[in-house]
Amino acid sequence: NTDARRIRRRECTQFRDFVMSLPSNYTKRYPKADVRDIPSLRKPEHTVMSYANVNKIIRHLVQFLGWCEEMEVIDRAPTSRNLLLIEPVSEKDKRNPFSREQLHQIFSSSTMKAEATNQSMFFWCYVIGLYHGLRLNEIAGLCAEHVTTLLDVPCIDVRIPSAVLDQNNPGGTKTVARVIPMHRVLVELGLPEFAASRQQGARLFPEAKTGVDGYASRDVSDKTRQFLNTLGIPPKGPTFHSLRHCFRD
């Protein structure tokens, strides 16, 4: 509701400071609240946005104002200089992978053994996440035909969701379309046979419910926190996404 012609560096700085007070995933955690009220509603356990996310939003703002200048809506757009935050921690140090001991706890637990026996979505999400570094929402959105063979090599064909391509997805996506040769452990665990048991065109995990935010990862994400709690892995420790960090390392 702000007139773009009135936006100066002071307004940009005030906006940045406001964004810094927002918790991460605030649209999921406070879906019905007015965004202006969220900082005062933020629960202590909900950490504020990372510097990287704050800077991403500031870059969007500066890009928009640059467009306003090109369209002669404003005379001069503020630059991002001194608006962007300086990251206090390097990219490598921000990774939070599971330790070898924690991975042993997870995959030798009675819970995971039962999930493996049942060939559950929870089990497959964990092994695909560990060996291929896919995001949880990418795994949850796979279809049976995405587990395929190319030049006689079993592969996972990761595609951009059709809802994103059709612009019907209320949430964004970080998915990059790519074809990944399947790790031999997943072949040995029977992922190709599991996919073949589904009808072509069907979801690999039909139990994955898509939330109002457009993501299908909520159930496994919530169950992960409960699961890790039972193993004694601290709440501020690794999360499911840490499997991706293990893969990167």
Side-chain angles (χ1 to χ4, degrees):
N1 295 328
T2 301
D3 187 338
R5 293 170 295 185
R6 297 175 56 190
I7 298 177
R8 298 291 184 269
R9 178 165 288 274
R10 182 181 66 178
E11 286 72 31
C12 292
T13 302
Q14 291 172 344
F15 176 71
R16 180 199 63 192
D17 294 344
F18 167 75
V19 172
M20 289 176 66
S21 67
L22 289 171
S24 58
N25 297 318
Y26 65 90
T27 54
K28 295 181 185 178
R29 288 169 167 165
Y30 307 92
K32 296 181 181 179
D34 187 312
V35 68
R36 292 167 292 189
D37 298 331
I38 290 178
S40 62
L41 298 173
R42 182 173 71 86
K43 298 177 181 178
E45 62 268 25
H46 293 164
T47 56
V48 293
M49 260 196 233
S50 67
Y51 278 29
N53 279 341
V54 173
N55 283 342
K56 181 178 179 180
I57 292 172
I58 295 303
R59 287 190 182 96
H60 286 167
L61 172 64
V62 171
Q63 184 179 21
F64 165 70
L65 293 174
W67 177 84
C68 287
E69 181 181 330
E70 287 183 21
M71 296 294 106
E72 300 180 352
V73 176
I74 59 177
D75 294 330
R76 185 179 180 184
T79 67
S80 60
R81 188 168 57 86
N82 297 330
L83 281 176
L84 297 177
L85 303 175
I86 299 174
E87 289 276 6
V89 183
S90 68
E91 280 294 325
K92 183 176 180 180
D93 290 336
K94 283 191 293 186
R95 297 180 195 171
N96 192 21
F98 287 104
S99 67
R100 185 180 296 270
E101 292 74 20
Q102 288 170 332
L103 289 174
H104 186 269
Q105 268 186 293
I106 288 169
F107 289 101
S108 65
S109 67
S110 57
T111 298
M112 190 58 79
K113 287 179 180 178
E115 298 285 350
T117 300
N118 295 329
Q119 296 280 282
S120 70
M121 173 184 174
F122 191 75
F123 164 72
W124 283 119
C125 282
Y126 268 75
V127 291
I128 294 173
L130 177 65
Y131 285 101
H132 285 301
L134 269 67
R135 293 180 174 87
L136 180 52
N137 192 58
E138 291 178 328
I139 303 170
L142 289 172
C143 290
E145 68 217 45
H146 296 165
V147 178
T148 185
T149 301
L150 184 64
L151 300 177
D152 296 326
V153 178
C155 295
I156 300 177
D157 184 2
V158 183
R159 304 176 189 176
I160 298 175
S162 58
V164 174
L165 295 175
D166 298 339
Q167 299 183 342
N168 292 325
N169 188 345
T173 180
K174 296 180 180 177
T175 295
V176 175
R178 59 206 188 275
V179 178
I180 307 168
M182 191 182 300
H183 196 286
R184 60 180 173 79
V185 170
L186 296 183
V187 177
E188 292 166 2
L189 288 171
L191 181 57
E193 290 79 9
F194 175 78
S197 69
R198 306 291 195 201
Q199 289 185 346
Q200 283 296 98
R203 295 280 289 272
L204 193 59
F205 306 110
E207 63 270 39
K209 300 181 182 65
T210 303
V212 294
D213 54 5
Y215 291 91
S217 52
R218 176 62 62 87
D219 288 347
V220 173
S221 182
D222 291 346
K223 187 173 179 178
T224 289
R225 187 63 268 159
Q226 299 168 5
F227 173 51
L228 297 182
N229 283 344
T230 64
L231 299 179
I233 296 176
K236 292 190 177 180
T239 63
F240 182 92
H241 197 74
S242 299
L243 294 172
R244 181 172 171 83
H245 292 171
C246 288
F247 172 82
R248 288 177 66 185
D249 289 344

